[in-house]
Amino acid sequence: MSIPITASASADVARENAVFRKVVRRIVPFLVLCYVVSYLDRVNVGFAKLQMADDLGFSEAAYGLGAGLFFIGYFLFEVPSNLMLQRVGARTWNARIMISWGLVSAAFMFVHNEAMFYVLRFLLGAAEAGFYPGVILYCTYWFPSHRRARVIALFMSAIPVAGIFGNPLSGWIMDRFQGVNGWEGWQWMFLLEAIPALLIGVATLFYLDNSVRAAKWLTDEEKAVVERAIAEDAAHQTVHGRVWDAFREPKVWLMCLIYFCFVMGQYALTFWMPTFIESTGIEGNLAIGLLSAVPFLAALVTMNLFGRSADKRRERRWHLVVPSLMGAVGFSLAAGWSGSTALSLAALSFAAAGVLTCAPLFWSLPTAFLGGTAAAVGLAAINSVGNLAGFVSPYMIGALKDATGSTSLPMYVLALSLVAGAAAVLTTDKHVVNR
């Protein structure tokens, strides 16, 4: 008696789901840990500013320029870094990235003038370039499109997790270690928060696998399940045989525009959240850190709910449009409620929930149509061009805050950017991205 086709198909789906759950458990938590450390070392300068700006005499614009210079180094070295990752493998190259950014991050404790601050921010961006798009590329080796939004949302949970735990930690370090060994609290913060990058960088060499076939923790049958799913998914992609073909793809440039609009809001939150909270009248680094964690907690819940929903419904566009408009509304309300800590915190939470949800869901768009050798270049190009907003956003906020004495106008500019990003998303072909 033969097994009904429907029952056989159901068993195959259950088996595939079980295999991918195993892959998620093995890979994703470690990648999240790496990104938590990465993001904390990238944005802890926002907390250092609460002391460092006064100690060293930095203006708001000087801080914003230095914070943003990270992304110039990031931009220049992003594509070469991703090509090296593809050549030498994720394990070796990500380990190199983490160890080098840990060393540069620790060097910030020696900053004593604006020029040194600018140079180290540039070098930190150059050191970290390639990590994020490299992870996105790495996920395409292990997960087909219809499983990727949830996985990337889990990975990018590192951003709010870094805010939830990193902000109070940074505030505590700055208060607790102030004056120890004759150093300022912000110097201790840079040193102590750089150590995990060095340790995890070494651990990466022993933990990550460069390919499905190299994974000793999967059986041959399980490897076949993963490889078959990836092969079936690749059949729907536009395969580019040459590296620079990606730059001739109009959709790549549309992705750059969309991501730029979203990143404007993302780094406004991560670089300026402590300042936003402090401007409502809150004092004390630990208190500012605890309150700064609240918007990131809202984002952690929202981004994973949207990621699950996008994969379940296989719908990408409206799952991006809705959170981007949430972010626009949140920034607009925060601009009008800056005199109240409670109302401002509620508005910033709504903004964070929207803005940070956009980031993981966005990557479902380019990975749906990019394939072949140029995928590494295409993803790196989108990330590097889009992340130039990480330079524009903090500098724009600092310059306008110096000019007006308020953060209200910058928040309206950020809201407008998110609306523009939402409009651009709706120009994409739903038949291409909704998989």
Side-chain angles (χ1 to χ4, degrees), residues 122-145:
F122 176 86
L123 291 177
L124 185 64
E128 194 177 322
F131 174 74
Y132 179 81
V135 169
I136 300 300
L137 180 65
Y138 189 64
C139 286
T140 68
Y141 299 163
W142 294 88
F143 303 100
S145 295

Side-chain angles (χ1 to χ4, degrees), residues 18 61 109 122 139 172 179 187 190 199 254 281 303 357 363 386 398 402:
M109 66 181 294
F122 176 86
C139 286
W172 179 79
Q187 292 177 297
F190 280 126
L199 297 177
L254 175 62
M303 68 196 307
T357 294
W363 290 103
D402 274 342

Side-chain angles (χ1 to χ4, degrees), residues 295-310:
F296 293 104
L297 182 60
L300 178 63
V301 175
T302 305
M303 68 196 307
N304 283 287
L305 288 176
F306 270 78
R308 288 173 178 267
S309 176

Side-chain angles (χ1 to χ4, degrees), residues 223-354:
K223 291 176 184 178
V225 169
V226 175
E227 289 172 338
R228 182 169 59 250
I230 298 299
E232 290 173 353
D233 186 60
H236 299 284
Q237 294 175 328
T238 302
V239 176
H240 301 87
R242 295 175 299 177
V243 166
W244 300 107
D245 284 351
F247 291 105
R248 289 197 286 266
E249 176 61 68
K251 290 193 288 290
V252 168
W253 295 105
L254 175 62
M255 296 298 109
C256 290
L257 171 64
I258 294 170
Y259 198 48
F260 185 95
C261 292
F262 294 159
V263 170
M264 282 287 288
Q266 178 181 331
Y267 285 108
L269 288 169
T270 52
F271 283 130
W272 286 91
M273 182 72 78
T275 300
F276 291 157
I277 299 298
E278 185 184 43
S279 68
T280 66
I282 300 299
E283 298 180 357
N285 295 316
L286 181 56
I288 293 171
L290 291 171
L291 289 176
S292 296
V294 174
F296 293 104
L297 182 60
L300 178 63
V301 175
T302 305
M303 68 196 307
N304 283 287
L305 288 176
F306 270 78
R308 288 173 178 267
S309 176
D311 276 351
K312 181 179 180 180
R313 292 170 174 77
R314 300 202 183 191
E315 198 288 323
R316 311 299 175 185
R317 300 195 311 164
W318 285 104
H319 280 81
L320 261 175
V321 170
V322 171
S324 62
L325 295 180
M326 286 171 57
V329 170
F331 277 125
S332 298
L333 292 176
W337 292 344
S338 58
S340 167
T341 299
L343 292 177
S344 182
L345 190 61
L348 288 172
S349 297
F350 198 67

